[in-house]
């Protein structure tokens, strides 16, 4: 089960968060339709799981980066400069 | 000498000393003083007369004035009491002098002498008159006409007087007042050239030849540009030497201008007629010799030099000011440009500051917006998106076969892990594996 999701993740290394999320939505819609075979379901779930993990990592990275930017400090500094 | 030295001489015939010359038939011997007195008496008894002749060898003494009266045939020693002489001089135009023709009145006299003084004969003059003035004037006038006829009065007049001679010759009496007057005249002119003196007697019969010689000397000295012949006033007889023909001819033929100043302005000698210029006084003669008033000319030149210097200074000063102004112009222009640049710089800086301030404020606002966006994004990342992902994960999990397996189902797979979903497929496979929720178990299909 892990193998296909890992492969799917490896197959689309440059996938963006939005594309990944859209793909997950698409996978869920496919699974919700009930048309997917067991085999496809297994594959899709593995892929979806990998994509969700990717998205979670992406979100964490972006959040960390946003926090790293310290925009509040920048605002505080600029307000101090423009007031002087 | 011892015979005549005694005043207590015995009368004639007394003793050997008074004895006469043996064999002489003449009376005497008489004592000489007695004889001298007797001679004086006889001479004084001579008739009083007038004599005419040339006055020579004039010798004033303390009490008397002695001179001789001469003519070509003889001479007589004369004496006059000093007071009489002075009275005559006072009445005459000038004192009688050597060389004059004079008429004297008087009679013979004899000074008998004494044991200590010599005897002497003289014509005792009671009165004296300078003789023949009319004749002299007539002779002078004849000579004047003759010189004029020969054109000799004009020659000197044609000579050009140097306006400022470097060397002036002066012929005058060495001790005369004219000498001082000439010096005074030259001094008044401020003249500082070379003066060559030719001293000569200026009256009596020696004067004219001496003046001629002096003129010749001046001519040979060289460099003498003008000559002055001068003497003060005097009687016609005194000035007669300046009517000497030789002197006048000599002066007329000189190439050097001669200025004459002889006698007073009323006197007119032939030299005055012949000379280039005739002046009434030696002072005027000196001023005529130096046509330029050197003192004034020098002062004028000093003033002119001062004016020139002042004008030059002004000219230089005005140009210097102009140049200074011109030279300051580029600097002033630069200064204006610099000021303008500074102004522009200030404006630019102020503008830049304003701009920078507004940009800074704008930037601050942008940063604020950015921060809000960042916060929102962070919220997305931390809350909204994870929820969404959670929802997706839940939705996905609902389809996960693992959940079915956990409920007790098993999945038939090929040994390679491929799902076997049909019996037909299973029959074709000898070996399969069963996927349970917790593990995988190999299996064997018994019935084909």
């Amino acid at each position: 089960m892990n193998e296909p999701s890992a492969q799917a993740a490896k197959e689309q290394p440059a996938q963006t968060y939005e594309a990944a999320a859209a793909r997950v939505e698409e996978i869920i819609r496919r699974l919700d339709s009930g048309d997917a075979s067991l085999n496809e379901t297994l594959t899709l779930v593995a892929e979806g799981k990998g994509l969700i993990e990717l998205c979670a990592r992406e979100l964490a990275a972006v959040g960390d980066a946003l926090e790293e930017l310290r925009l509040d400090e920048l605002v505080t500094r600029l307000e101090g400069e423009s007031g002087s | 000498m011892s015979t005549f030295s005694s005043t207590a001489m015995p009368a004639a015939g007394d003793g050997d000393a008074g004895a006469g010359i043996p064999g002489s038939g003449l009376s005497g011997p008489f004592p000489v003083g007695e004889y001298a007195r007797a001679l004086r008496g006889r001479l004084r008894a001579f008739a009083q007369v007038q004599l005419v002749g040339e006055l020579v060898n004039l010798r004033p003494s303390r009490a008397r004035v002695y001179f001789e009266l001469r003519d070509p045939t003889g001479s007589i020693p004369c004496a006059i009491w000093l007071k009489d002489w002075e009275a005559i001089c006072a009445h005459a135009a000038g004192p009688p002098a050597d060389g004059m023709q004079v008429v004297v009145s008087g009679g013979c006299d004899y000074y008998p002498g004494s044991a200590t003084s010599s005897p002497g004969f003289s014509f005792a003059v009671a009165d004296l008159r300078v003789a023949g003035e009319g004749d002299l004037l007539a002779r002078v006038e004849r000579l004047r006409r003759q010189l004029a006829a020969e054109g000799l009065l004009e020659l000197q007049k044609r000579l050009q007087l140097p306006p400022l001679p470097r060397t002036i010759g002066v012929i005058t009496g060495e001790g005369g007042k004219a000498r001082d007057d000439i010096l005074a005249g030259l001094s008044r002119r401020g003249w500082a050239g070379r003066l060559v003196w030719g001293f000569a007697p200026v009256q009596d019969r020696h004067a004219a030849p001496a003046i001629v010689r002096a003129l010749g000397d001046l001519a040979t000295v060289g460099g003498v540009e003008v000559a002055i012949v001068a003497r003060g006033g005097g009687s016609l007889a005194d000035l007669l030497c300046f009517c000497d023909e030789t002197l006048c001819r000599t002066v007329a033929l000189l190439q050097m201008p001669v200025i004459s100043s002889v006698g007073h302005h009323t006197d007119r000698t032939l030299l005055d007629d012949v000379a280039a210029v005739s002046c009434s006084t030696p002072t005027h003669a000196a001023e005529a010799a130096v046509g330029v008033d050197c003192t004034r000319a020098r002062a004028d030149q000093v003033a002119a030099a001062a004016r020139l210097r002042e004008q030059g200074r002004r000219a230089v000063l005005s140009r210097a000011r102009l140049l200074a102004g011109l030279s300051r112009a580029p600097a002033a222009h630069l200064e204006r440009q610099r000021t303008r640049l500074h102004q522009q710089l200030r404006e630019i800086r102020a503008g830049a500051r304003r701009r920078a301030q507004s940009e800074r404020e704008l930037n601050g606002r942008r940063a604020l917006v950015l921060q809000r966006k960042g916060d929102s994004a962070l919220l997305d990342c931390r809350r909204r998106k994870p929820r969404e992902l959670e929802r997706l994960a839940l939705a996905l999990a609902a389809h996960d076969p693992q959940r079915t397996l956990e409920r007790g189902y098993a999945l038939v797979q090929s040994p390679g892990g491929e799902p076997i979903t049909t019996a037909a497929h299973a029959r074709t496979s000898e070996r399969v594996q069963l996927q349970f929720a917790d593990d995988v178990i190999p299996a064997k299909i018994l019935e084909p």
Side-chain angles (χ1 to χ4, degrees):
Chain A
M1 269 235 353
N2 291 333
E3 288 295 316
S5 66
Q7 282 176 356
K10 282 177 186 172
E11 281 168 7
Q12 296 173 327
Q15 204 160 27
T16 62
Y17 174 88
E18 286 74 19
R23 174 64 184 154
V24 172
E25 294 277 2
E26 189 183 347
I27 286 170
I28 289 168
R29 274 197 304 276
R30 173 69 182 161
L31 291 172
D32 283 344
S33 69
D35 293 337
S37 64
L38 179 61
N39 199 15
E40 186 186 2
T41 298
L42 189 60
T43 304
L44 288 174
V45 168
E47 183 188 355
K49 188 182 176 187
L51 288 172
I52 285 170
E53 284 171 354
L54 185 143
C55 284
R57 282 199 304 277
E58 195 74 6
L59 280 178
V62 170
D64 290 347
L66 283 172
E67 284 183 346
E68 192 70 23
L69 285 176
R70 299 179 186 282
L71 288 173
D72 52 345
E73 289 180 13
L74 176 65
V75 169
T76 306
R77 200 183 76 217
L78 290 177
E79 281 175 346
E81 284 178 1
S82 62
S84 62
Chain B
M1 276 296 281
S2 61
T3 307
F4 303 105
S5 62
S6 173
T7 52
M9 193 176 289
D14 289 348
D16 286 347
I21 299 166
S24 172
L26 298 178
S27 59
F30 303 107
V32 69
E34 194 177 312
Y35 186 82
R37 281 192 296 275
L39 178 60
R40 182 176 65 183
R42 290 293 293 273
L43 285 170
R44 281 182 174 175
F46 270 37
Q48 298 275 312
V49 293
Q50 295 185 50
L51 301 176
V52 62
E54 185 184 356
L55 188 155
V56 295
N57 203 12
L58 187 67
R59 308 183 306 281
S61 76
R62 273 189 300 179
R64 288 184 166 199
V65 176
Y66 298 96
F67 56 90
E68 291 171 24
L69 213 54
R70 287 182 183 175
D71 71 9
T73 57
S75 66
I76 288 281
C78 299
I80 183 169
W81 292 105
L82 190 59
K83 60 180 175 56
D84 293 336
W85 175 262
E86 286 170 352
I88 290 165
C89 289
H91 287 99
D98 276 3
M100 288 183 178
Q101 284 286 319
V102 294
V103 175
V104 296
S105 65
C108 291
D109 196 3
Y110 182 75
Y111 174 62
S114 70
T116 58
S117 60
S118 301
F121 170 80
S122 65
F123 186 87
V125 175
D127 201 358
L128 181 146
R129 179 180 73 80
V130 175
E133 281 196 356
D135 291 345
L136 285 173
L137 288 174
R139 210 165 65 217
V140 166
E141 192 53 39
R142 274 199 304 276
L143 184 54
R144 190 193 310 273
R145 280 198 297 274
Q146 186 183 341
L147 292 175
E150 293 178 28
L152 295 179
L153 302 189
E154 299 303 319
L155 293 180
Q156 276 274 321
K157 307 284 189 296
R158 292 178 197 154
L159 297 177
Q160 188 76 31
L161 274 177
L164 186 60
R166 293 172 185 276
T167 304
I168 299 175
V170 179
I171 297 170
T172 187
E174 188 166 7
K177 188 172 179 300
R179 179 183 177 180
D180 298 335
D181 289 347
I182 285 172
L183 285 174
L186 291 175
S187 170
R188 197 185 301 170
R189 282 292 201 208
W191 183 77
R194 186 167 67 116
L195 204 53
V196 180
W197 293 100
F199 295 121
V202 287
Q203 62 185 34
D204 80 28
R205 58 190 173 145
H206 304 299
I211 292 170
V212 169
R213 277 198 304 277
L215 282 169
D217 291 345
L218 287 186
T220 56
V221 162
V224 178
E225 295 167 69
V226 60
I228 298 172
V229 178
R231 70 149 283 162
S235 66
L236 176 62
D238 288 340
L239 305 181
L240 201 58
C241 58
F242 295 100
C243 297
D244 182 83
E245 185 173 354
T246 307
L247 172 62
C248 291
R249 287 183 182 277
T250 302
V251 168
L253 296 174
L254 276 177
Q255 289 304 304
M256 169 177 66
V258 174
I259 298 170
S260 73
S261 168
V262 175
H264 296 296
H265 62 280
T266 51
D267 302 319
R268 186 76 185 175
T269 66
L270 283 186
L271 179 65
D272 292 325
D273 292 332
V274 170
V277 179
S278 132
C279 296
S280 57
T281 66
T283 310
H284 289 158
E287 291 176 353
V290 182
V292 179
D293 185 339
C294 300
T295 305
R296 184 181 298 172
R298 219 170 273 134
D300 288 349
Q301 283 182 351
V302 168
R307 276 203 306 278
L308 269 179
R309 189 179 56 192
E310 180 59 22
Q311 284 171 357
R313 198 180 68 81
R314 277 189 202 154
V316 169
L317 204 61
S318 64
R319 281 161 179 78
R321 280 183 187 142
L322 182 66
L323 282 176
L326 290 177
S327 70
R328 277 195 296 273
H333 184 67
L334 276 179
E335 186 57 34
R336 281 197 300 277
Q337 292 297 325
R338 190 177 289 123
T339 307
R340 191 174 154 206
L341 281 176
H342 286 173
Q343 179 63 27
Q344 287 174 341
L345 184 61
R346 279 194 293 276
E347 288 172 4
I348 286 171
R349 201 159 52 195
R353 278 179 185 159
R354 283 194 301 275
R355 181 66 191 273
Q357 182 64 21
S358 74
E359 285 296 325
R360 200 178 291 124
E361 289 167 5
L362 190 60
N363 207 29
R365 287 198 295 275
R366 281 174 184 153
L368 199 59
V369 170
L370 194 63
Q371 187 206 5
R372 285 173 189 156
K373 297 286 183 193
D375 288 349
S376 175
L378 193 58
L379 197 64
D380 276 354
C381 291
R382 298 283 189 236
R383 297 243 183 108
R384 283 195 286 270
K385 297 284 186 190
R387 273 188 210 136
E388 194 178 344
L389 281 182
E390 195 177 349
R391 180 183 61 81
L392 288 175
L394 284 173
L396 196 60
H399 295 283
D400 192 346
Q402 186 67 24
R403 303 278 295 276
T404 308
L405 295 180
E406 285 172 357
R407 287 203 303 269
Y409 293 92
L411 187 61
V412 180
Q413 295 175 326
S414 67
E418 294 295 319
I420 297 173
T421 54
T422 61
H425 189 187
R427 282 189 193 100
T428 61
S429 306
E430 187 181 355
R431 294 207 177 265
V432 294
Q433 59 183 22
L434 298 176
Q435 170 79 52
F436 294 94
D438 57 343
D439 202 358
V440 179
I441 295 171
K444 192 175 177 179
I445 302 296
L446 296 179
E447 289 183 20

